[in-house]
Amino acid sequence: MKAKDYVISAEKFKFASNEGRLHDHKLETKPVGYFKDAWLRFRKNKASVVAACIILLLVLYAIIGPFLVDSNYQNSYATSTILRQYKYLPPKLGIFTGTGFWDGTSKTQVSINTYESYIGMELEMGIDVVVDEFADTVVIDPIAGDKTLKNIRIDQYKAISVFTVTFTESQYKALQEWQNENNIQVILPWVENETTNNNIWYQCDRKGNAIKDSEGNFVPAYLTTGSDDYNSLRLAKDPYNSGDTDGAWRYAKRSGTASTGYNYMVRVNPTNFFVYTYGFEPSFAFGTNVNGYDILSRLASGARFSFILAILVSAVNLTIGAIYGAIEGYYGGLTDLLMERFSDILNGVPFMVVTVLFQLHLASKVGIVPSLIYAFILTGWIGMASRVRMQFYRFKNQEYVLAARTLGASDRRIMFKHIFPNSLGTIITGSVLVIPGVIFSETSLSYLGIINLNSATMSSVGAMLSEGQQNMSKYPHAILFPALFISLLMISFNLFGNGLRDAFNPSLRGSEE
């Protein structure tokens, strides 16, 4: 075929009209950035969204929880021994009053003597200790004889035994004045134990001896607010003490001298004394622990400490691990070999050994918490460095990296401008999952007693679990709430981490469309 056969004649051409020409249309939708795309994909994972909401609620609880309790009460943790009288009180919420659930009551089986002591408390203080009674249980014992047990439901907040408190003279008078002003009985009449039985208290004479009626029976002591002879709101004057050699008053036992100052030991109504001391009637949503501390605020304080510790450790490990792993993965070769051997040596040291050694030798110099942070950081960054290194090996030979290198981009720009952003999915997921890991490790160390973060001013979830475990069969609420908190936290963070991993994975972008 000749070349002239390829010539197209002029009549086969015609001018094109501009009318109706096609042009690219302006995009009507807004551009979707990397993080917005990650959010759009994350929110499609319903389990992760629910987990994120639970984590947010737990964080808010850790922030707000310590402020939900009266500051006067919370500040007394470090100084008051009286709080031990209110230990292991069950959870109580006012909205559940009378339901038998979460109302501070519990069903129990007691002896006749114990039952009578509860009745005596009711008579003396005008309260309802026994809120419900059920059929008795008869235990048949052919040797010791049959024994009757009472099945009752009691208000644990009202069943606190009467205890004694020693006041100075000014404190004693201040309490009496408060009683008169508020018409609330705090001081109970003093009765010598040898004249009573079964902890039932009775009316007594001016020397504190229980009195009997015409038939020879002790007379129960009732709550009174009038002006009759028996009136616990009445001020105890010196004539009540005249002729006594042991210092027994009707309402107090006095010790000391006029020159050194008198002290007054009195019996108090537990509920009313709590009101006098702290300004509110005892009612705790999560109950109290072995020391009488409110579990709700105590757990929130421990959770806040755990969150702060975990976030701090995660941030430091992310910084060290990202830089270390980026250098390893980008340069490779001998640099990678030497740096990997160094991290292998550190990784071979057991974390538990490091923590114990730091607690034994470093904690005395810098404190328990700083030494714990050092233990977490010493080897904690290795996992993050390994993740970053793997991602750099994955992306450093991609076309866009080679193009950037060809255009003269510096190593630092390529590492942190081109490769590192594409590794964010794995890095962010790893950083988030470090937080529950640190919290769980700290909880385990506290629970095992390797570190002691429990004091009057602070606590941790692990320490509360250890405390509650000692009496979990009798007082399950003491371990229930810390265990529920750590369980929710671990499950939620795992689901949240899975959602983040999928959301930040560049290879999944647009896969749902």
Side-chain angles (χ1 to χ4, degrees):
M1 185 177 291
K2 298 180 180 180
K4 64 180 181 179
D5 296 332
Y6 290 99
V7 178
I8 302 175
S9 60
E11 58 270 13
K12 292 184 177 181
F13 289 92
K14 64 178 181 179
F15 289 103
S17 173
N18 287 332
E19 185 178 353
R21 288 187 63 182
L22 297 177
H23 295 277
D24 291 335
H25 294 285
K26 181 180 179 181
L27 293 175
E28 299 295 335
T29 59
K30 295 181 180 180
V32 178
Y34 178 74
F35 288 100
K36 184 175 181 180
D37 176 69
W39 162 245
L40 292 175
R41 281 186 282 121
F42 175 79
R43 71 183 188 181
K44 292 180 180 179
N45 189 330
K46 303 302 181 184
S48 297
V49 172
V50 172
C53 293
I54 294 175
I55 293 173
L56 179 61
L57 291 176
L58 293 178
V59 172
L60 290 176
Y61 164 67
I63 296 173
I64 301 174
F67 302 103
L68 297 179
V69 176
D70 184 86
S71 59
N72 182 35
Y73 168 74
Q74 194 173 22
N75 293 337
S76 67
Y77 284 0
T79 57
S80 178
T81 58
I82 299 298
L83 282 178
R84 287 186 176 273
Q85 305 293 334
Y86 305 91
K87 65 181 181 180
Y88 287 134
L89 291 177
K92 181 179 181 180
L93 285 175
I95 59 175
F96 296 113
T97 301
T99 63
F101 170 77
W102 214 318
D103 62 349
T105 67
S106 63
K107 188 176 179 180
T108 185
Q109 192 176 71
V110 298
S111 65
I112 295 295
N113 287 344
T114 303
Y115 173 77
E116 290 179 351
S117 70
Y118 289 148
I119 300 302
M121 293 170 66
E122 292 183 346
L123 293 174
E124 180 176 33
M125 294 183 285
I127 58 177
D128 294 324
V129 177
V130 180
V131 296
D132 201 359
E133 297 188 34
F134 309 96
D136 296 344
T137 299
V138 179
V139 179
I140 301 175
D141 190 335
I143 299 177
D146 297 348
K147 183 178 181 181
T148 301
L149 298 177
K150 305 287 290 186
N151 295 304
I152 56 177
R153 178 177 294 278
I154 62 173
D155 187 336
Q156 296 284 7
Y157 285 75
K158 300 296 176 59
I160 303 172
S161 299
V162 172
F163 55 90
T164 60
V165 182
T166 300
F167 297 101
T168 62
E169 187 167 6
S170 60
Q171 292 172 335
Y172 184 47
K173 290 182 178 180
L175 173 55
Q176 291 176 325
E177 292 173 358
W178 185 87
Q179 286 186 137
N180 290 336
E181 292 175 0
N182 296 276
N183 201 34
I184 297 177
Q185 176 183 350
V186 177
I187 302 174
L188 298 176
W190 192 275
V191 180
E192 299 297 336
N193 291 332
E194 61 266 24
T195 62
T196 64
N197 55 60
N198 299 332
N199 288 327
I200 300 178
W201 299 284
Y202 304 90
Q203 292 188 22
C204 55
D205 58 21
R206 293 174 182 267
K207 293 185 178 182
N209 299 316
I211 59 177
K212 297 181 180 181
D213 59 18
S214 58
E215 298 180 357
N217 299 318
F218 289 116
V219 181
Y222 291 87
L223 172 66
T224 59
T225 56
S227 58
D228 55 3
D229 187 57
Y230 173 69
N231 179 8
S232 61
L233 296 177
R234 185 174 176 181
L235 295 178
K237 301 296 184 180
D238 283 342
Y240 285 2
N241 195 42
S242 60
D244 293 340
T245 57
D246 60 353
W249 281 27
R250 184 180 180 187
Y251 301 105
K253 285 190 174 182
R254 188 176 70 174
S255 60
T257 62
S259 59
T260 60
Y262 290 111
N263 290 321
Y264 300 85
M265 184 170 66
V266 300
R267 297 170 63 244
V268 295
N269 178 317
T271 301
N272 292 344
F273 180 69
F274 192 98
V275 175
Y276 168 72
T277 306
Y278 303 112
F280 65 97
E281 188 170 332
S283 179
F284 304 101
F286 288 180
T288 60
N289 66 1
V290 65
N291 294 310
Y293 301 159
D294 172 52
I295 292 179
L296 185 145
S297 61
R298 189 80 166 168
L299 179 59
S301 298
R304 182 169 56 183
F305 167 79
S306 297
F307 277 123
I308 293 174
L309 173 68
I311 293 173
L312 176 62
V313 170
S314 177
V316 174
N317 286 341
L318 171 62
T319 303
I320 298 175
I323 297 173
Y324 196 91
I327 296 173
E328 281 185 303
Y330 184 79
Y331 291 105
L334 182 61
T335 301
D336 181 33
L337 181 65
L338 293 176
M339 295 178 73
E340 271 295 285
R341 298 295 74 78
F342 175 74
S343 60
D344 287 343
I345 293 173
L346 283 180
N347 200 35
V349 181
F351 171 73
M352 193 71 73
V353 174
V354 173
T355 305
V356 173
L357 290 176
F358 277 19
Q359 290 299 310
L360 289 176
H361 302 287
L362 189 61
S364 59
K365 299 178 180 179
V366 300
I368 297 176
V369 176
S371 65
L372 181 62
I373 294 175
Y374 294 153
F376 276 116
I377 293 176
L378 181 65
T379 58
W381 57 268
I382 296 176
M384 181 59 64
S386 178
R387 293 188 189 93
V388 175
R389 171 180 176 271
M390 183 168 53
Q391 294 301 309
F392 268 70
Y393 268 113
R394 176 184 176 185
F395 293 114
K396 72 176 183 178
N397 291 321
Q398 296 290 325
E399 289 81 359
Y400 63 88
V401 176
L402 297 176
R405 185 179 290 113
T406 302
L407 293 173
S410 64
D411 288 344
R412 185 170 63 178
R413 181 177 178 83
I414 293 174
M415 290 167 63
F416 295 103
K417 184 69 175 178
H418 297 283
I419 302 178
F420 194 79
N422 286 281
S423 308
L424 276 179
T426 301
I427 294 172
I428 291 177
T429 303
S431 299
V432 170
L433 292 179
V434 165
I435 295 176
V438 171
I439 293 176
F440 189 77
S441 297
E442 175 268 317
T443 300
S444 300
L445 293 171
S446 300
Y447 179 78
L448 296 174
I450 296 175
I451 59 174
N452 183 16
L453 297 173
N454 198 27
S455 67
T457 55
M458 69 174 293
S459 185
S460 68
V461 180
M464 296 187 69
L465 287 172
S466 180
E467 280 183 349
Q469 186 266 341
Q470 299 173 11
N471 287 284
M472 62 181 298
S473 59
K474 191 174 182 181
Y475 307 105
H477 70 276
I479 195 174
L480 171 63
F481 295 104
L484 184 62
F485 175 86
I486 197 68
S487 300
L488 280 176
L489 189 69
M490 293 297 108
I491 295 172
S492 299
F493 261 110
N494 281 331
L495 294 175
F496 181 63
N498 292 338
L500 284 182
R501 179 197 60 202
D502 296 339
F504 282 101
N505 190 343
S507 63
L508 296 178
R509 185 170 187 176
S511 62
E512 296 86 352
E513 302 299 332

